[in-house]
Amino acid sequence: MRFPMTVLRAVTLAPALLVSFVLTVVVCALLPPGLGLVAFMAAGGVLVALALGQLQEPAVAALTRSRPATEAELRVMAPVLAELGCRGVDVGALFVRRIQRPSTPVAVAIGRRTVVVSPGLVEATYRGGVTGAEAAAALAHAVGRRQAIRPRLELAVLAAMTPWRMLVATFRGVGRAFAWLPFTRLAWTLRGVVGVICVVQSVVEDRAWAGLLGGTVIALTYLVPAAGRRIELYTEAEADQFVLSLGLGPVLAGLLRRYGHPMTLERMQRLETAVEQPQRPRLHLVHG
């Protein structure tokens, strides 16, 4: 069953924005009255400024933990950006991550024509481990992902979700710390059963609102990841088609294969499909 992208994005964003708002209000309420009000108004002012298109560069740097590319990095990536420009892809600003982890994406398009790349991609391009065409394909795929979703007020939404991301990171750290305990994974797998019991018991005890609230939270632990996976599959397919339309599909497939990136057979076939170029009109000489 196919769901509209707006519905999927609402499922993933609404809980995060709601939790972030509640956390912000709670933190500001715990501060001294004057300081709490100033903090809340300042946070609201920053979001409004981002929604109006202001503070783009500092917002990108803060949200992605990156910095503008240095002159040396721009010299390395200049042929890559020129290659994209020749194919109709305009990258306005190039940022480089400050820290690279195994889960750090190679390239991410964000904001107004800004692409954030990993330092590993710049170094590999400089040393020749990644060709200019391969780097261009990676950047084009990032641009294609953003074009597939076309997020509105992207930086403002990402900034508003900062408390949610901090909360998720905290819970993930706690989960990894206690992963060694027996039956931890089993308890998480059976959370749906616990939710049903919670709802039934609350209804029997005339506390239906509490049971429904708990059941909704547990249901969201299924719905949000499922919606996220649907969005990921959609954006990946659309970005692959975008790269393919630029004639860089086989190049991207070769790059992913060489670095052991997991790909399904369908995706390999999709990227390696030859795009039929429109035939140019032929000129015929007419002899009088």
Side-chain angles (χ1 to χ4, degrees):
M1 183 177 179
R2 299 186 62 180
F3 295 92
M5 183 57 57
T6 53
V7 175
L8 295 177
R9 285 184 58 78
V11 171
T12 57
L13 293 179
L17 291 173
L18 178 60
V19 172
S20 296
F21 177 75
V22 172
L23 289 176
T24 301
V25 171
V26 170
V27 171
C28 291
L30 294 176
L31 296 175
L35 182 59
L37 179 61
V38 171
F40 186 81
M41 295 299 293
V46 170
L47 295 182
V48 172
L50 292 175
L52 295 176
Q54 304 299 318
L55 306 176
Q56 295 285 306
E57 288 195 3
V60 171
L63 292 171
T64 61
R65 297 182 182 180
S66 62
R67 51 170 176 76
T70 62
E71 291 186 6
E73 292 166 338
L74 286 175
R75 283 196 297 270
V76 172
M77 301 300 291
V80 177
L81 300 180
E83 175 75 16
L84 290 175
C86 293
R87 298 175 184 269
V89 181
D90 183 18
V91 176
L94 186 69
F95 279 61
V96 180
R97 300 269 187 179
R98 296 182 181 274
I99 300 175
Q100 180 172 341
R101 296 184 174 88
S103 59
T104 301
V106 174
V108 173
I110 185 174
R112 295 180 176 177
R113 301 185 299 111
T114 300
V115 175
V116 182
V117 299
S118 67
L121 177 63
V122 179
E123 182 178 353
T125 304
Y126 172 73
R127 297 185 180 279
V130 173
T131 64
E134 290 173 338
L139 267 64
H141 196 268
V143 174
R145 278 179 171 272
R146 189 179 186 280
Q147 290 183 355
I149 300 179
R150 298 186 183 277
R152 297 181 179 179
L153 309 176
E154 180 181 17
L155 293 177
V157 171
L158 290 175
M161 290 171 54
T162 299
W164 166 262
R165 292 201 301 273
M166 295 175 61
L167 182 65
V168 170
T170 302
F171 276 106
R172 285 179 178 174
V174 172
R176 286 193 296 267
F178 290 94
W180 59 272
L181 292 175
F183 305 113
T184 300
R185 186 177 297 275
L186 178 62
W188 177 252
T189 304
L190 298 177
R191 67 190 184 280
V193 178
V194 176
V196 173
I197 295 174
C198 175
V199 172
V200 173
Q201 183 176 359
S202 298
V203 171
V204 171
E205 296 177 356
D206 293 330
R207 292 184 295 106
W209 64 269
L212 293 176
L213 179 61
T216 301
V217 172
I218 293 178
L220 287 175
T221 63
Y222 290 98
L223 293 177
V224 173
R229 288 191 294 269
R230 288 288 188 94
I231 294 175
E232 174 63 22
L233 290 175
Y234 172 79
T235 54
E236 182 180 82
E238 291 295 314
D240 287 348
Q241 291 296 334
F242 178 72
V243 174
L244 196 61
S245 68
L246 299 177
L248 295 172
V251 177
L252 180 61
L255 175 65
L256 297 177
R257 188 182 300 109
R258 189 168 73 250
Y259 281 89
H261 185 80
M263 289 191 297
T264 61
L265 180 61
E266 290 77 7
R267 190 184 186 196
M268 285 190 290
Q269 292 176 343
R270 181 169 64 224
L271 286 174
E272 294 174 351
T273 301
V275 179
E276 296 183 0
Q277 300 294 335
Q279 295 182 355
R280 297 180 179 179
R282 297 180 180 180
L283 296 179
H284 298 276
L285 296 178
V286 179
H287 299 278

